[in-house]
Amino acid sequence: MSLELFQPFVGVESTPVRNEVEKGAIRKFADAIGDPNPIYRDEEYAKTTRYGRIVAPPTFSRTFDYGEIPGLQVKREGLIHGEQQFEYVRPIFAGDVLYCSTKLADVYEKEGKLGRMTFLVYEQKGIDEAGETVFIARSNVIYRG
Amino acid sequence: MAGRQFQPGDTIGPLVKPPVTKTQLVMYSGASGDFNPIHTVDEFAKEAGLGGVIAHGMLTMAFVGQVLTDTIGLAGDLRKFGVRFTGMVRPGDVITCQGRVTETRMEGEQQVVSCEVWASTQNGDQVVAGQAEFAVPIA
Protein backbone atom coordinates (compact mmCIF):
# COMPACT_ATOMS: atom_id res chain seq x y z
CA MET A 1 0.00 0.00 0.00
CA SER A 2 2.84 2.30 0.85
CA LEU A 3 4.42 1.32 -2.44
CA GLU A 4 1.44 2.65 -4.39
CA LEU A 5 1.49 5.75 -2.22
CA PHE A 6 5.11 6.57 -3.05
CA GLN A 7 5.45 5.31 -6.62
CA PRO A 8 4.00 8.42 -8.29
CA PHE A 9 6.84 10.45 -6.75
CA VAL A 10 9.71 8.40 -8.19
CA GLY A 11 11.83 10.74 -10.30
CA VAL A 12 10.23 13.86 -8.88
CA GLU A 13 12.82 16.43 -7.79
CA SER A 14 12.67 19.35 -5.40
CA THR A 15 13.39 22.88 -6.56
CA PRO A 16 17.09 23.47 -5.74
CA VAL A 17 17.64 25.44 -2.53
CA ARG A 18 20.47 27.94 -2.14
CA ASN A 19 22.75 26.98 0.78
CA GLU A 20 25.58 29.15 2.03
CA VAL A 21 28.31 27.12 3.67
CA GLU A 22 29.19 29.02 6.83
CA LYS A 23 32.43 28.43 8.69
CA GLY A 24 30.58 28.64 12.02
CA ALA A 25 28.26 25.83 10.94
CA ILE A 26 31.27 23.71 9.97
CA ARG A 27 32.93 24.34 13.34
CA LYS A 28 29.77 23.44 15.27
CA PHE A 29 29.41 20.26 13.23
CA ALA A 30 33.05 19.32 13.86
CA ASP A 31 32.57 20.05 17.58
CA ALA A 32 29.46 17.85 17.67
CA ILE A 33 31.21 14.89 16.07
CA GLY A 34 34.28 15.48 18.27
CA ASP A 35 36.77 15.85 15.41
CA PRO A 36 39.60 18.20 16.48
CA ASN A 37 41.08 18.57 12.96
CA PRO A 38 42.11 22.26 12.59
CA ILE A 39 41.10 22.28 8.88
CA TYR A 40 37.49 22.52 10.12
CA ARG A 41 37.99 25.54 12.37
CA ASP A 42 41.33 27.37 12.02
CA GLU A 43 41.43 29.82 9.10
CA GLU A 44 45.12 30.63 9.51
CA TYR A 45 46.01 26.96 9.43
CA ALA A 46 43.69 26.36 6.48
CA LYS A 47 45.54 29.06 4.51
CA THR A 48 48.73 27.01 4.78
CA THR A 49 47.07 23.99 3.12
CA ARG A 50 46.49 23.42 -0.58
CA TYR A 51 42.81 24.26 -0.06
CA GLY A 52 43.58 27.71 1.32
CA ARG A 53 40.35 27.75 3.30
CA ILE A 54 38.25 25.83 5.78
CA VAL A 55 36.88 22.51 4.53
CA ALA A 56 33.76 20.66 5.71
CA PRO A 57 33.88 17.10 7.12
CA PRO A 58 32.82 14.28 4.72
CA THR A 59 29.27 13.92 6.03
CA PHE A 60 28.55 17.66 6.43
CA SER A 61 26.37 17.84 3.32
CA ARG A 62 23.57 16.12 5.24
CA THR A 63 23.04 19.41 7.07
CA PHE A 64 21.92 21.27 3.94
CA ASP A 65 18.39 22.24 3.01
CA TYR A 66 17.39 20.21 -0.05
CA GLY A 67 13.83 21.46 -0.36
CA GLU A 68 10.71 19.35 -0.47
CA ILE A 69 9.61 16.92 -3.15
CA PRO A 70 6.28 18.50 -4.15
CA GLY A 71 3.37 16.62 -2.60
CA LEU A 72 5.43 13.91 -0.93
CA GLN A 73 4.74 13.61 2.78
CA VAL A 74 6.60 11.07 4.87
CA LYS A 75 6.24 10.82 8.63
CA ARG A 76 9.81 11.20 9.85
CA GLU A 77 9.30 9.27 13.08
CA GLY A 78 8.54 6.10 11.14
CA LEU A 79 11.82 6.15 9.25
CA ILE A 80 14.97 4.11 9.73
CA HIS A 81 18.11 5.24 7.98
CA GLY A 82 19.42 2.08 6.35
CA GLU A 83 22.27 3.19 4.11
CA GLN A 84 24.09 6.36 3.15
CA GLN A 85 26.52 6.96 0.32
CA PHE A 86 28.47 9.97 -0.86
CA GLU A 87 30.38 10.66 -4.04
CA TYR A 88 32.63 13.68 -3.87
CA VAL A 89 33.79 15.63 -6.91
CA ARG A 90 35.61 18.13 -4.70
CA PRO A 91 35.57 19.07 -1.02
CA ILE A 92 32.96 21.48 0.31
CA PHE A 93 34.58 24.77 1.38
CA ALA A 94 33.52 27.46 3.82
CA GLY A 95 32.12 30.25 1.68
CA ASP A 96 30.70 27.92 -0.96
CA VAL A 97 27.23 28.66 -2.25
CA LEU A 98 25.61 25.37 -3.21
CA TYR A 99 22.26 24.69 -4.83
CA CYS A 100 20.95 21.50 -3.26
CA SER A 101 18.07 19.34 -4.41
CA THR A 102 16.62 15.95 -3.59
CA LYS A 103 14.59 13.44 -5.51
CA LEU A 104 12.99 10.10 -4.82
CA ALA A 105 15.11 7.85 -7.01
CA ASP A 106 13.36 4.56 -6.26
CA VAL A 107 10.87 2.84 -3.99
CA TYR A 108 10.54 -0.90 -3.40
CA GLU A 109 9.16 -3.40 -0.91
CA LYS A 110 11.00 -6.22 0.74
CA GLU A 111 10.16 -8.90 3.29
CA GLY A 112 12.31 -8.29 6.37
CA LYS A 113 12.62 -9.20 10.02
CA LEU A 114 9.79 -6.81 10.88
CA GLY A 115 7.51 -7.99 8.10
CA ARG A 116 6.92 -6.25 4.81
CA MET A 117 8.96 -3.06 4.61
CA THR A 118 9.04 -0.18 2.15
CA PHE A 119 12.41 1.18 1.08
CA LEU A 120 12.77 4.74 -0.16
CA VAL A 121 15.88 5.64 -2.11
CA TYR A 122 16.67 9.35 -2.21
CA GLU A 123 19.29 10.99 -4.37
CA GLN A 124 20.60 14.38 -3.34
CA LYS A 125 23.11 16.64 -5.00
CA GLY A 126 24.88 19.94 -4.53
CA ILE A 127 25.82 22.19 -7.44
CA ASP A 128 28.09 25.20 -7.09
CA GLU A 129 27.61 28.65 -8.58
CA ALA A 130 29.68 27.65 -11.62
CA GLY A 131 27.12 24.93 -12.30
CA GLU A 132 29.52 22.13 -11.38
CA THR A 133 28.31 19.17 -9.32
CA VAL A 134 30.20 19.11 -6.01
CA PHE A 135 28.73 15.95 -4.51
CA ILE A 136 26.03 13.34 -4.99
CA ALA A 137 24.50 11.52 -2.01
CA ARG A 138 22.20 8.54 -1.87
CA SER A 139 20.16 7.49 1.15
CA ASN A 140 18.25 4.30 1.62
CA VAL A 141 15.47 4.79 4.14
CA ILE A 142 13.15 2.14 5.56
CA TYR A 143 9.58 3.32 5.99
CA ARG A 144 7.41 1.68 8.62
CA GLY A 145 4.15 3.40 7.86
CA MET B 1 52.60 15.60 3.46
CA ALA B 2 52.55 13.33 0.46
CA GLY B 3 54.02 10.06 1.42
CA ARG B 4 52.15 7.11 2.68
CA GLN B 5 51.55 4.46 0.04
CA PHE B 6 48.98 1.79 0.69
CA GLN B 7 48.83 -1.93 0.02
CA PRO B 8 45.92 -4.37 0.13
CA GLY B 9 45.58 -5.66 3.67
CA ASP B 10 46.86 -2.45 5.29
CA THR B 11 44.82 -1.44 8.30
CA ILE B 12 43.13 1.93 8.71
CA GLY B 13 42.79 3.26 12.25
CA PRO B 14 41.70 2.23 14.75
CA LEU B 15 40.18 5.46 16.01
CA VAL B 16 38.59 5.06 19.45
CA LYS B 17 36.09 7.82 20.17
CA PRO B 18 35.22 9.05 23.68
CA PRO B 19 31.93 7.61 25.03
CA VAL B 20 28.88 9.03 23.24
CA THR B 21 27.00 11.39 25.57
CA LYS B 22 23.43 12.69 25.58
CA THR B 23 24.87 16.19 25.31
CA GLN B 24 26.65 15.12 22.15
CA LEU B 25 23.37 13.90 20.67
CA VAL B 26 21.79 17.29 21.43
CA MET B 27 24.81 19.03 19.85
CA TYR B 28 24.61 16.81 16.78
CA SER B 29 20.87 17.45 16.44
CA GLY B 30 21.55 21.18 16.44
CA ALA B 31 24.56 20.99 14.13
CA SER B 32 22.87 18.69 11.63
CA GLY B 33 19.29 19.95 11.81
CA ASP B 34 18.03 16.41 12.52
CA PHE B 35 15.70 16.99 15.45
CA ASN B 36 14.00 13.59 15.45
CA PRO B 37 13.21 13.19 19.18
CA ILE B 38 14.32 9.53 19.21
CA HIS B 39 17.83 10.99 19.56
CA THR B 40 17.17 13.46 22.35
CA VAL B 41 13.98 12.68 24.33
CA ASP B 42 14.16 9.48 26.39
CA GLU B 43 10.38 9.27 26.95
CA PHE B 44 9.74 9.57 23.23
CA ALA B 45 12.37 6.96 22.37
CA LYS B 46 10.91 4.56 24.95
CA GLU B 47 7.42 4.95 23.53
CA ALA B 48 8.91 4.23 20.11
CA GLY B 49 10.12 0.92 21.51
CA LEU B 50 13.81 1.82 21.53
CA GLY B 51 14.31 1.65 25.29
CA GLY B 52 15.81 5.16 25.38
CA VAL B 53 17.54 7.58 23.05
CA ILE B 54 19.79 6.24 20.30
CA ALA B 55 22.53 8.08 18.42
CA HIS B 56 21.99 9.40 14.91
CA GLY B 57 23.38 6.93 12.41
CA MET B 58 25.00 9.89 10.70
CA LEU B 59 26.95 10.67 13.90
CA THR B 60 28.54 7.23 13.77
CA MET B 61 29.16 7.65 10.05
CA ALA B 62 30.91 10.95 10.85
CA PHE B 63 33.18 9.06 13.29
CA VAL B 64 34.13 6.73 10.45
CA GLY B 65 34.66 9.78 8.24
CA GLN B 66 37.19 10.99 10.81
CA VAL B 67 39.29 7.83 10.64
CA LEU B 68 39.28 8.23 6.85
CA THR B 69 40.30 11.90 6.78
CA ASP B 70 42.96 11.24 9.45
CA THR B 71 44.35 8.45 7.25
CA ILE B 72 44.14 10.33 3.97
CA GLY B 73 45.64 13.56 5.25
CA LEU B 74 45.20 16.94 3.59
CA ALA B 75 47.21 15.98 0.50
CA GLY B 76 44.65 13.38 -0.55
CA ASP B 77 41.00 13.40 -1.48
CA LEU B 78 38.11 11.25 -0.35
CA ARG B 79 36.15 10.25 -3.46
CA LYS B 80 33.48 7.83 -2.28
CA PHE B 81 32.16 6.92 1.13
CA GLY B 82 29.18 4.69 1.80
CA VAL B 83 27.86 2.75 4.79
CA ARG B 84 25.06 0.52 5.95
CA PHE B 85 23.73 1.15 9.46
CA THR B 86 23.80 -2.28 11.05
CA GLY B 87 23.26 -1.59 14.76
CA MET B 88 22.19 1.01 17.29
CA VAL B 89 24.52 3.24 19.30
CA ARG B 90 23.47 4.47 22.75
CA PRO B 91 24.84 7.06 25.17
CA GLY B 92 27.83 5.58 26.98
CA ASP B 93 28.93 3.48 24.01
CA VAL B 94 32.58 3.68 23.01
CA ILE B 95 32.84 3.48 19.25
CA THR B 96 35.94 2.18 17.51
CA CYS B 97 36.35 2.97 13.81
CA GLN B 98 38.68 1.07 11.55
CA GLY B 99 39.20 -0.24 8.08
CA ARG B 100 41.23 -2.38 5.74
CA VAL B 101 42.62 -1.63 2.29
CA THR B 102 41.13 -3.97 -0.30
CA GLU B 103 42.60 -2.69 -3.56
CA THR B 104 44.98 -0.07 -4.91
CA ARG B 105 45.65 1.23 -8.39
CA MET B 106 47.69 3.97 -9.99
CA GLU B 107 46.01 6.86 -11.72
CA GLY B 108 48.55 9.34 -13.10
CA GLU B 109 50.40 10.88 -10.18
CA GLN B 110 47.97 9.44 -7.65
CA GLN B 111 47.37 6.19 -5.90
CA VAL B 112 43.68 5.33 -5.69
CA VAL B 113 42.84 3.24 -2.65
CA SER B 114 39.67 1.21 -2.01
CA CYS B 115 38.93 0.08 1.51
CA GLU B 116 36.38 -1.49 3.79
CA VAL B 117 35.46 0.52 6.86
CA TRP B 118 33.44 -0.32 9.93
CA ALA B 119 32.59 0.84 13.42
CA SER B 120 31.86 -1.27 16.48
CA THR B 121 30.90 -0.80 20.12
CA GLN B 122 32.85 -1.80 23.22
CA ASN B 123 30.96 -5.12 23.09
CA GLY B 124 32.26 -5.83 19.62
CA ASP B 125 28.87 -5.23 18.00
CA GLN B 126 29.21 -3.80 14.53
CA VAL B 127 27.10 -0.67 14.09
CA VAL B 128 28.29 0.61 10.72
CA ALA B 129 29.85 -1.20 7.76
CA GLY B 130 30.81 0.24 4.43
CA GLN B 131 33.46 1.13 1.94
CA ALA B 132 35.41 4.13 0.75
CA GLU B 133 37.69 5.19 -2.06
CA PHE B 134 40.34 7.86 -1.81
CA ALA B 135 43.26 9.20 -3.80
CA VAL B 136 46.66 10.18 -2.43
CA PRO B 137 49.60 11.72 -4.29
CA ILE B 138 52.64 9.57 -4.93
CA ALA B 139 55.63 10.54 -2.86
Side-chain angles (χ1 to χ4, degrees), chain A residues 57-59 61 84-91 134-138, chain B residues 12 61 64-69 72 76-84 100 102-103 105 107 111-117 129-136:
Chain A
T59 60
S61 62
Q84 179 68 41
Q85 293 167 12
F86 297 100
E87 280 178 41
Y88 310 96
V89 180
R90 67 158 173 87
V134 174
F135 67 88
I136 297 171
R138 286 182 196 85
Chain B
I12 289 170
M61 186 175 186
V64 179
Q66 184 180 347
V67 81
L68 284 168
T69 51
I72 298 166
D77 287 307
L78 184 59
R79 292 183 172 185
K80 292 179 187 171
F81 179 25
V83 301
R84 282 179 299 119
R100 185 186 304 113
T102 53
E103 206 183 312
R105 65 172 200 272
E107 195 184 281
Q111 184 185 36
V112 179
V113 180
S114 301
C115 58
E116 298 175 327
V117 286
Q131 62 293 126
E133 185 184 289
F134 58 87
V136 288

Side-chain angles (χ1 to χ4, degrees), chain A residues 28-29 31-37 39-40 45 49-51 58-59 62-63 76-77 81-88 91, chain B residues 17 24 27-28 31-32 35-37 44 58-59 61-63 65-66 69 74-85:
Chain A
K28 281 182 185 153
F29 187 87
D31 286 350
I33 67 177
D35 189 334
N37 197 329
I39 194 67
Y40 303 140
Y45 170 79
T49 71
R50 73 186 163 112
Y51 300 126
T59 60
R62 283 279 297 192
T63 69
R76 190 185 53 188
E77 285 77 9
H81 198 175
E83 293 178 33
Q84 179 68 41
Q85 293 167 12
F86 297 100
E87 280 178 41
Y88 310 96
Chain B
K17 296 291 289 181
Q24 183 170 33
M27 285 170 71
Y28 187 79
S32 69
F35 292 102
N36 189 330
F44 186 93
M58 288 306 298
L59 176 63
M61 186 175 186
F63 294 168
Q66 184 180 347
T69 51
L74 288 173
D77 287 307
L78 184 59
R79 292 183 172 185
K80 292 179 187 171
F81 179 25
V83 301
R84 282 179 299 119
F85 300 103

Side-chain angles (χ1 to χ4, degrees), chain B residues 4-6 15 20 25-27 31 34-37 47 51 59 64-65 84 86 89 96 101 104 122 129-130:
Chain B
R4 182 172 173 189
Q5 296 298 294
F6 294 85
L15 169 71
V20 172
L25 301 187
V26 172
M27 285 170 71
D34 180 349
F35 292 102
N36 189 330
E47 275 175 35
L59 176 63
V64 179
R84 282 179 299 119
T86 56
V89 173
T96 299
V101 175
T104 65
Q122 65 283 357

